[in-house]
């Protein structure tokens, strides 16, 4: 390093020269956050509708500690697929529940993080409840920034304990435990690009079937959905961000995730979005998503007496299919001088089309479980 | 497979050009943030994980739900 | 449709010097907010680092010298002390913020040179190595020892104000505090900001223009003493206790004003080796020797 580089490095440690925010050393967030979001999800064919209300808050405590709380309420209504049957022409059709499902889910999560010099440690936990499902989880994480703050390594571990008491089957009580581990690296490549790569390992044990789904066995009748009592999942996500100064400071985001589990499913996800600043503190983000997966090794649309085994499912989420999605998001920020430093308004709409024929490599299962869904979100974020 | 990934990562990292601390301004812009809107990101990931088999990679607290 | 920005000009007195700030904004709310943020920044820095205020943080530290009582410091003071340490190391001890006590021996009102005894007494109170400090506290162990951030704070203020305005979306502007300049960004039409440096050897000013970065100067052509016909600068060498003799004036261009300022002071402290030192470290500079000869080195990036 030359003399001027050495002195510049020392100068940049001065709080007044920090880029992007007037934060002090020790922790990135000095401000209080309050965020509220409303989201709506709706499927085609008169299927499921969900309304979500979420409130999040973050508060700094002293110099190094940050506390967070998150509250969610989901209201779910509409119909849901139960099984597939073969109609009189021998073709497979999906059979939906009556449109009278009404469900409410409430969840609370809290977290605490502590900032050392280059290391950040966090703990958290939460609970989520529906009338037939209770989940409690704990998580912990640590991240370490080094290499002149150009590289960050992160590790997180979480465990969840779930209990399912299905409606109409009041004598049945099932449980499930899950553990998930993530390790990731975030690396500044050059002054215009950033890369993040995360790998997760998850292991689930217990009751993993869906109590509201069944399979149709030709010549026999209906059997309950029955899946293995354990599941191992592996995912590798890589995210890339690139800055285009000449295009009015736009940024390209590209994500690819590879997923493999021991139920035989491999999935690929590709997401692309273009973040374009326009006018004063407005940002418009068009985005595209493509997803493909193959079917689980115990999945069949319908079964017959010869090929039904102990483990079997016709769940539309375990078959082979692809999803194509497009969306648009708009955000507007207001920077102020008073007690409230920043207010951001955001709105987004996405449309997704899920079809068996979109699966990579093709799929001749037919379109009986194809559907589309759209999502709308609106939120307000405040910093003070 | 692990060895190949590790080697590729090390080669990739050493190929990164050094960024002077005062050149980090672009990376701090809101359009460059990996998680610009945590609530929306969580909602999207939750939706996709309820309708598809894939999950993981993004972090999040790992709580469960009976989403079907 | 983007409206056209308009120019805001501010002229005022702060940190003991005339200040001129210019920047472009899109609406009056932005102008109002920027002005208040600048005022807040400067008054805060004066309140903490002004030697002339008895209640400033720096005065508190100086008053407690030799008393046994240490003073708690915040992240900013720690950053400045670390920066001063870096300068001390880079200059082999010439840049020493404890050399403020020397000032009492040299000053515009003195008619004669201080005696060797007086110089020896003063040198006992100087020495960066003597400071006792941790990341949270600082203490000057000998009564009479003084810390003086005079050579750093004005330039740090220019950098801080530029960053505060940048954080608020202001991309075009120039800050000048008593001759120390920091540019926020080019003018909206893409042009650089014109800057003039006083050339001490003749009446002509040196003209240049900068798109970004900073310029800071050090020199004795405005503040100096004439004793027995010999010119003594106001920049004092802590090792000898005497003013430096070498370059008459030097201006440095670099990214950060605080760095430009320290390098300019360092070049002056190097005395007769100043010019060689500037060249050896490949710095961008203008300088004027004692006999009036000027030299300069500007790499291409500063002219873009």
């Amino acid at each position: 390093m030359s003399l001027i580089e050495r002195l510049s490095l020392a100068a940049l440690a001065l709080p007044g020269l920090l880029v992007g925010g007037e934060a002090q050393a020790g922790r990135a967030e000095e401000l209080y956050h309050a965020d509220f979001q409303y989201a709506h999800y709706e499927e085609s064919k008169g299927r499921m509708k969900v309304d979500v209300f979420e409130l999040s808050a973050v508060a700094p405590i002293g110099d190094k500690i940050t506390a967070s709380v998150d509250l969610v309420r989901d209201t779910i209504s509409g119909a849901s697929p139960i099984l597939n049957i073969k109609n009189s022409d021998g073709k497979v059709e999906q059979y939906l529940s009556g449109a009278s499902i009404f469900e409410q889910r409430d969840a609370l999560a809290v977290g605490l993080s502590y900032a050392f010099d280059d290391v950040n440690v966090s703990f958290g936990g939460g609970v989520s409840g529906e009338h037939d499902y209770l989940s409690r989880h704990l998580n912990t994480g640590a991240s370490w920034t080094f290499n002149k703050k150009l590289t960050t390594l992160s590790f997180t571990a979480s465990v969840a304990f779930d209990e399912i008491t299905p409606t109409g089957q009041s004598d049945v009580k099932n449980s499930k435990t899950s553990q998930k581990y993530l390790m990731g690296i975030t690396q500044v490549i050059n002054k215009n690009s950033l890369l993040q790569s995360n790998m997760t390992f998850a292991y689930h044990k217990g009751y993993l079937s869906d109590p509201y789904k069944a399979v149709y066995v030709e010549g026999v009748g209906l059997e309950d959905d029955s899946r293995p009592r354990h599941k191992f999942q592996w995912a590798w996500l890589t995210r890339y961000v690139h800055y285009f100064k000449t295009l009015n400071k736009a940024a390209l985001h590209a994500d690819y995730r590879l997923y493999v589990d021991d139920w035989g499913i491999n999935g690929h996800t590709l997401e692309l979005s273009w973040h374009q600043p326009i006018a004063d503190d407005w940002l418009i983000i068009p985005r595209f998503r493509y997803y493909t997966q193959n079917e689980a090794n115990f999945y069949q649309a319908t079964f017959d007496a010869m090929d039904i085994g102990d483990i079997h499912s016709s769940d539309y989420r375990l078959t082979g299919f692809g999803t194509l999605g497009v969306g648009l998001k708009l955000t507007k920020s207001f920077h102020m001088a008073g007690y409230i430093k920043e207010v951001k308004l955001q709105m987004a709409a996405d449309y997704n089309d899920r079809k068996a024929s979109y699966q990579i490599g093709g799929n001749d299962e037919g379109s009986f479980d194809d559907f589309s869904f759209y999502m709308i979100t609106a939120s307000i974020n405040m910093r003070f | 497979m692990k060895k190949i990934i590790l080697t590729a990562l090390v080669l990739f990292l050493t190929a990164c050009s050094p960024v002077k601390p005062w050149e980090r301004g672009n990376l701090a812009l809101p359009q460059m943030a990996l998680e610009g809107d945590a609530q929306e990101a969580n909602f999207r990931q939750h939706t996709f994980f309820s309708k598809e088999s894939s999950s993981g990679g993004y972090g999040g607290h790992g709580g469960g739900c009976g989403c079907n | 449709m983007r409206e056209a920005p308009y120019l805001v000009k501010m002229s005022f007195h702060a940190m003991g010097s005339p200040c001129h700030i210019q920047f472009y904004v899109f609406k009056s709310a932005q102008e109002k907010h920027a002005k208040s943020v600048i005022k807040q920044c400067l008054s805060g820095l004066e309140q903490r680092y002004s030697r002339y205020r008895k209640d400033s943080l720096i005065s508190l530290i100086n008053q407690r010298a030799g008393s046994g009582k240490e003073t708690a410091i915040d992240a900013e003071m720690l950053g400045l002390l670390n920066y001063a340490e870096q300068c001390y190391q880079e200059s082999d001890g010439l840049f020493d913020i404890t050399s403020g006590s020397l000032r009492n021996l040299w000053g515009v009102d003195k008619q004669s040179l201080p005696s060797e005894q007086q110089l020896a007494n003063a040198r006992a109170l100087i020495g960066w190595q003597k400071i006792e400090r941790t990341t949270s506290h600082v203490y000057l162990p000998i009564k009479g020892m003084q810390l003086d951030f005079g050579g750093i704070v004005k330039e740090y203020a220019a950098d801080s104000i530029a960053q505060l305005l940048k954080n608020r979306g202001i991309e075009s502007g120039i800050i000048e505090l008593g001759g120390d300049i920091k540019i926020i960004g080019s003018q909206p039409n893409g042009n650089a900001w014109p800057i003039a440096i006083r050339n001490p050897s003749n009446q002509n000013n040196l003209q240049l223009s900068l798109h970004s970065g900073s310029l800071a100067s050090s020199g004795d052509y405005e503040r100096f003493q004439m004793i027995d016909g010999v010119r003594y600068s106001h920049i004092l060498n802590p090792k000898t206790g005497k003013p430096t003799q070498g370059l008459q004036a030097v201006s440095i261009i670099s990214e950060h004003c605080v760095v430009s300022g320290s390098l300019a002071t360092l070049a002056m402290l190097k005395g007769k080796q100043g010019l060689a030192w500037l060249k050896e470290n490949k710095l961008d500079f203008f300088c004027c020797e004692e006999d009036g000869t000027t030299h300069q080195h500007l790499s291409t990036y500063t002219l873009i």
Side-chain angles (χ1 to χ4, degrees):
Chain A
M1 253 201 281
S2 66
L3 168 67
I4 201 169
E5 281 172 328
R6 293 193 296 271
L7 282 182
S8 300
L9 209 62
L12 280 153
L14 295 166
L17 273 70
L18 280 172
V19 171
E22 279 106 69
Q24 299 293 316
R27 171 223 2 242
E29 308 292 353
E30 269 291 336
L31 305 171
Y32 291 80
H33 296 204
D35 302 320
F36 174 74
Q37 173 180 265
Y38 164 71
H40 180 79
Y41 166 89
E42 197 168 318
E43 292 173 2
S44 60
K45 303 177 181 173
R47 282 165 55 154
M48 194 185 288
K49 282 196 204 13
V50 183
D51 284 306
V52 182
F53 296 90
E54 183 176 3
L55 188 61
S56 315
V58 171
I61 299 179
D63 234 10
K64 302 203 181 294
I65 300 179
T66 309
S68 64
V69 69
D70 189 280
L71 289 151
V72 180
R73 164 162 291 182
D74 293 345
T75 311
I76 306 141
S77 64
S80 195
I82 299 184
L83 57 94
N84 303 319
I85 51 173
K86 275 207 174 135
N87 63 15
S88 44
D89 300 325
K91 287 188 73 189
V92 181
E93 266 180 18
Q94 196 176 57
Y95 181 77
L96 302 176
S97 68
S100 55
I101 285 183
F102 179 81
E103 193 62 72
Q104 187 168 285
R105 183 179 82 95
D106 289 327
L108 165 73
V110 293
L112 213 60
S113 78
Y114 191 90
F116 297 90
D117 274 339
D118 299 317
V119 171
N120 204 286
V121 172
S122 62
F123 299 94
V127 66
S128 165
E130 299 154 71
H131 85 277
D132 60 352
Y133 200 104
L134 177 68
S135 173
R136 291 143 301 185
H137 72 268
L138 288 170
N139 54 262
T140 181
S143 71
W144 173 38
T145 304
F146 57 98
N147 185 22
K148 296 186 212 168
K149 291 202 198 305
L150 297 176
T151 311
T152 302
L153 286 180
S154 346
F155 299 92
T156 65
S158 64
V159 64
F161 305 94
D162 298 357
E163 269 166 28
I164 312 116
T165 46
T167 337
Q169 303 169 38
S170 50
D171 55 334
V172 173
K173 189 177 181 150
N174 290 305
S175 63
K176 161 184 163 193
T177 54
S178 308
Q179 344 169 4
K180 192 163 94 165
Y181 306 94
L182 176 148
M183 52 188 209
I185 179 170
T186 308
Q187 173 72 43
V188 170
I189 299 173
N190 57 46
K191 65 185 167 106
N192 293 323
S193 12
L194 186 70
L195 187 79
Q196 182 179 84
S197 203
N198 299 333
M199 214 176 265
T200 56
F201 301 84
Y203 181 68
H204 310 269
K205 195 165 115 165
Y207 179 76
L208 307 181
S209 310
D210 188 327
Y212 302 114
K213 290 191 160 56
V215 305
Y216 172 74
V217 188
E218 230 180 329
V220 175
L222 300 182
E223 295 269 348
D224 286 335
D225 180 282
S226 170
R227 305 182 198 185
R229 286 191 64 83
H230 51 83
K231 180 175 183 183
F232 176 75
Q233 301 174 298
W234 176 81
W236 183 19
L237 168 71
T238 300
R239 315 178 73 178
Y240 177 71
V241 186
H242 190 90
Y243 181 66
F244 292 89
K245 181 173 177 179
T246 51
L247 297 173
N248 198 27
K249 304 189 179 153
L252 170 71
H253 292 237
D255 296 3
Y256 168 69
R257 174 180 60 193
L258 171 64
Y259 169 90
V260 175
D261 68 26
D262 68 351
W263 285 2
I265 298 184
N266 299 338
H268 302 265
T269 317
L270 177 69
E271 291 195 33
L272 297 168
S273 58
W274 182 265
H275 298 232
Q276 181 71 62
I278 47 174
D280 246 350
D281 286 331
W282 284 88
L283 193 60
I284 188 166
I285 306 169
R287 54 201 182 192
F288 166 77
R289 182 176 187 271
Y290 174 65
Y291 175 73
T292 180
Q293 71 172 53
N294 62 322
E295 63 182 39
N297 48 30
F298 51 85
Y299 168 88
Q300 274 183 218
T302 57
F303 295 80
D304 62 39
M306 296 304 296
D307 55 22
I308 185 99
D310 285 335
I311 305 294
H312 46 261
S313 178
S314 298
D315 191 326
Y316 67 96
R317 292 169 299 178
L318 296 179
T319 183
F321 64 88
T323 310
L324 274 172
V326 290
L328 194 66
K329 181 165 169 173
L330 205 58
T331 80
K332 165 76 174 141
S333 297
F334 299 90
H335 295 274
M336 288 115 70
Y339 181 59
I340 301 183
K341 303 272 187 309
E342 182 186 343
V343 173
K344 186 154 85 164
L345 298 176
Q346 311 191 69
M347 272 196 65
D350 287 81
Y351 175 76
N352 285 265
D353 192 22
R354 173 226 185 271
K355 273 188 161 58
S357 58
Y358 287 155
Q359 182 188 350
I360 257 187
N363 176 319
D364 51 6
E365 284 267 332
S367 57
F368 60 90
D369 59 2
D370 290 349
F371 68 97
S372 62
F373 57 95
Y374 73 83
M375 304 182 291
I376 292 183
T377 61
S379 65
I380 176 167
N381 307 80
M382 295 194 285
R383 302 281 175 270
F384 46 96
Chain B
M1 180 63 182
K2 239 190 231 174
K3 232 191 229 174
I4 298 173
I5 295 172
L6 208 61
T7 318
L9 208 57
V10 169
L11 284 173
F12 180 69
L13 288 178
T14 54
C16 300
S17 77
V19 179
K20 303 277 192 305
W22 60 86
E23 288 176 323
R24 301 189 60 159
N26 299 343
L27 301 166
L29 290 167
Q31 58 267 39
M32 293 289 284
L34 279 168
E35 286 307 349
D37 183 358
Q39 284 181 324
E40 205 229 354
N42 287 339
F43 170 69
R44 279 170 63 85
Q45 291 314 317
H46 186 111
T47 301
F48 293 129
F49 134 82
S50 305
K51 299 292 145 188
E52 297 164 352
S53 270
S54 293
S55 66
Y58 288 97
H61 48 65
C65 69
C67 306
N68 57 350
Chain C
M1 232 341 228
R2 231 200 148 113
E3 327 140 34
Y6 65 90
L7 180 64
V8 177
K9 284 187 176 178
M10 296 169 72
S11 291
F12 54 90
H13 216 83
M15 310 203 125
S17 314
C19 304
H20 305 278
I21 299 183
Q22 297 184 60
F23 54 93
Y24 282 88
V25 294
F26 286 94
K27 41 187 185 285
S28 63
Q30 221 183 352
E31 173 189 348
K32 224 171 106 177
H33 182 41
K35 282 181 167 166
S36 108
V37 133
I38 290 170
K39 223 171 101 167
Q40 237 181 356
C41 176
L42 286 169
S43 65
L45 287 172
E46 275 179 348
Q47 226 232 344
R48 294 192 289 282
Y49 302 105
S50 171
R51 283 181 290 121
Y52 305 110
R53 295 180 61 137
K54 295 256 157 32
D55 59 343
S56 66
L57 180 58
I58 197 84
S59 294
L60 189 61
I61 296 172
N62 292 341
Q63 279 154 30
R64 287 176 174 171
S67 72
K69 223 173 157 212
E70 57 177 11
T71 314
I73 57 174
D74 63 359
E76 187 181 63
M77 174 66 95
L78 177 63
L80 289 168
L81 287 168
N82 287 340
Y83 183 75
E85 167 120 33
Q86 189 75 31
C87 292
Y88 177 84
Q89 306 286 3
E90 298 290 354
S91 62
D92 293 320
L94 285 178
F95 190 108
D96 191 329
I97 61 170
T98 62
S99 53
S101 54
L102 276 178
R103 233 176 294 105
N104 300 330
L105 295 181
W106 302 86
V108 248
D109 55 334
K110 300 281 191 289
Q111 292 303 323
S112 55
L113 301 171
S115 68
E116 279 306 321
Q117 184 56 50
Q118 281 175 304
L119 284 171
N121 291 345
R123 281 202 297 272
L125 297 175
I126 298 166
W128 171 261
Q129 309 281 32
K130 295 175 182 156
I131 299 180
E132 290 169 18
R133 70 187 191 100
T134 63
T135 51
S136 58
H137 289 81
V138 71
Y139 173 63
L140 303 172
I142 306 169
K143 189 160 172 345
M145 276 189 84
Q146 272 187 55
L147 284 183
D148 178 11
F149 282 105
I152 303 178
V153 169
K154 191 145 60 80
E155 292 86 345
Y156 172 63
D159 285 329
S160 299
I161 291 173
Q163 195 56 55
L164 286 168
L165 295 183
K166 265 196 202 141
N167 290 350
R168 283 156 181 79
I170 293 172
E171 301 172 330
S172 182
I174 178 169
I175 298 172
E176 185 239 311
L177 307 177
D180 295 324
I181 295 171
K182 169 71 182 172
I183 292 178
I184 301 169
S186 314
Q187 301 192 53
N189 57 15
N191 291 346
W193 294 91
I195 295 171
I197 305 175
R198 246 245 310 278
N199 184 339
S201 62
N202 59 45
Q203 291 311 319
N204 305 328
N205 291 340
L206 283 149
Q207 308 272 8
L208 74 147
S209 59
L210 290 179
H211 279 266
S212 68
S214 70
L215 182 143
S217 314
S218 200
D220 66 1
Y221 52 89
E222 280 186 351
R223 283 185 282 166
F224 59 88
Q225 288 176 262
M226 288 298 274
I227 298 176
D228 302 329
V230 182
R231 194 187 170 107
Y232 292 91
S233 84
H234 73 283
I235 297 175
L236 305 166
N237 183 322
K239 294 188 173 172
T240 62
K242 300 178 185 167
T244 59
Q245 288 180 295
L247 292 171
Q248 214 190 119
V250 61
S251 297
I252 305 271
I253 297 170
S254 78
E255 178 63 33
H256 305 291
C257 199
V258 70
V259 172
S260 298
S262 324
L263 290 170
T265 307
L266 279 175
M268 293 294 294
L269 286 167
K270 287 282 180 184
K272 304 259 192 275
Q273 281 85 46
L275 181 59
W277 180 84
L278 286 168
K279 290 190 173 153
E280 178 188 313
N281 282 291
K282 300 199 177 52
L283 303 174
D284 291 313
F285 67 89
F286 286 103
C287 72
C288 181
E289 294 190 272
E290 267 184 322
D291 61 3
T293 339
T294 58
H295 303 266
Q296 72 185 62
H297 172 260
L298 288 178
S299 57
T300 43
Y301 94 88
T302 57
L303 296 173
I304 293 170

